[in-house]
């Protein structure tokens, strides 16, 4: 399974947690197991999902700063979770093992897959702002 396919599973997992309003360890793990169709959960996917869970509040604050005209709770649920995942990979590259530009490209492709061109442009813009801030604050 490709890393992109694993990210799709993670987005589906995060979407369900967000939709249910249950962003917690037990819920994420049970949904991941179900989304892997009771096969062993691939460690990369688990790292991504648990990383987003651990830093959700930080990620949401970054989204608020990078897209101030869009309150986090008003962003489409798919886009919100794609942003969280992309930002987590960008902000914590030692944990994700993903170069920042790759994280942006993967997030854009996820937005195309789950939401469409308009969302992909939005995700690109927000993550581009975040990357700029990260590079300026090094």
């Amino acid at each position: 399974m490709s890393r992109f396919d694993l990210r799709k599973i993670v987005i589906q997992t995060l979407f369900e947690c967000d939709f249910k309003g249950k962003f917690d360890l037990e819920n994420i793990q049970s949904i991941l197991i179900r989304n892997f169709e009771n096969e062993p959960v691939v460690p990369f996917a688990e790292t991504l999902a648990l990383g987003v869970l651990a830093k959700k509040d930080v990620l949401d604050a970054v989204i608020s700063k990078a897209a101030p005209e869009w309150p986090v709770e008003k962003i489409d649920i798919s886009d919100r979770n794609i942003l969280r995942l992309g930002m987590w990979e960008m902000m914590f590259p030692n944990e994700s093992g993903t170069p920042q530009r790759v994280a942006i490209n993967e997030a854009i492709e996820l937005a195309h897959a789950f939401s469409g061109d308009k969302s992909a442009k939005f995700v690109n813009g927000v993550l581009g702002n975040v990357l700029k801030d990260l590079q300026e604050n090094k």
Side-chain angles (χ1 to χ4, degrees), residues 5-127:
D5 290 334
L6 295 172
R7 284 182 180 94
K8 285 169 56 177
I9 291 171
V10 170
I11 289 300
Q12 291 166 336
T13 301
L14 296 173
F15 179 98
E16 187 173 337
C17 290
D18 201 356
F19 183 78
K20 289 180 175 179
K22 290 180 68 179
F23 248 102
D24 60 57
L25 180 63
E26 183 179 325
N27 199 40
I28 282 184
Q29 288 178 323
S30 68
I31 295 168
L32 268 177
I33 289 168
R34 187 183 71 239
N35 286 346
F36 272 94
E37 299 175 354
N38 295 315
E39 293 293 319
V41 175
V42 176
F44 178 72
E46 186 173 44
T47 296
L48 296 178
L50 297 182
V52 170
L53 171 65
K55 301 293 186 184
K56 180 180 164 290
D57 292 338
V58 171
L59 299 169
D60 286 354
V62 173
I63 292 170
S64 294
K65 183 179 175 198
E69 64 283 353
W70 287 93
V72 174
E73 66 277 357
K74 299 287 184 187
I75 296 172
D76 175 79
I77 194 168
S78 294
D79 296 347
R80 180 170 56 234
N81 287 290
I82 291 167
L83 287 170
R84 286 173 176 155
L85 177 59
M87 281 185 201
W88 183 81
E89 287 192 84
M90 288 171 54
M91 293 171 67
F92 304 99
N94 292 338
E95 294 178 51
S96 71
T98 306
Q100 291 174 322
R101 298 235 182 247
V102 171
I104 292 172
N105 289 338
E106 291 289 297
I108 292 166
E109 290 305 314
L110 288 167
H112 278 293
F114 286 101
S115 298
D117 289 341
K118 192 173 183 181
S119 291
K121 289 177 185 176
F122 175 69
V123 166
N124 185 31
V126 173
L127 294 182

